[in-house]
Amino acid sequence: MPIGEFKSLRTQLTELEEEEKQLRQDARRFGESPELLRQQAQLITMKATITRELVQLLIS
């Protein structure tokens, strides 16, 4: 398993989790808007993609 690739993916996942946390705070503060919901959906999709890549690295 390429350690550098694993660390890079893990870092990306952590950054996406931080962005998601910020979006949740924004939604609480300003109310949910279609744009915020769209951004949350995009983040969830990106997190799923990166998680899938991490799993593939672990099982290879």
Side-chain angles (χ1 to χ4, degrees), residues 2-18:
I3 300 298
E5 186 176 0
F6 182 85
K7 286 183 178 181
S8 173
L9 288 170
R10 189 63 192 115
T11 298
Q12 289 176 47
L13 188 58
T14 300
E15 290 170 357
L16 288 172
E17 289 168 345
E18 287 299 316

Side-chain angles (χ1 to χ4, degrees), residues 28-59:
R28 280 194 299 273
R29 189 175 310 133
F30 306 116
E32 289 185 349
S33 69
E35 181 60 28
L36 274 176
L37 293 174
R38 202 171 9 264
Q39 289 176 356
Q40 286 175 323
Q42 289 173 334
L43 280 174
I44 289 168
T45 301
M46 288 188 288
K47 281 176 49 181
T49 300
I50 290 174
T51 300
R52 202 170 19 258
E53 291 177 27
L54 282 167
V55 169
Q56 287 299 317
L57 275 177
L58 289 172
I59 62 175

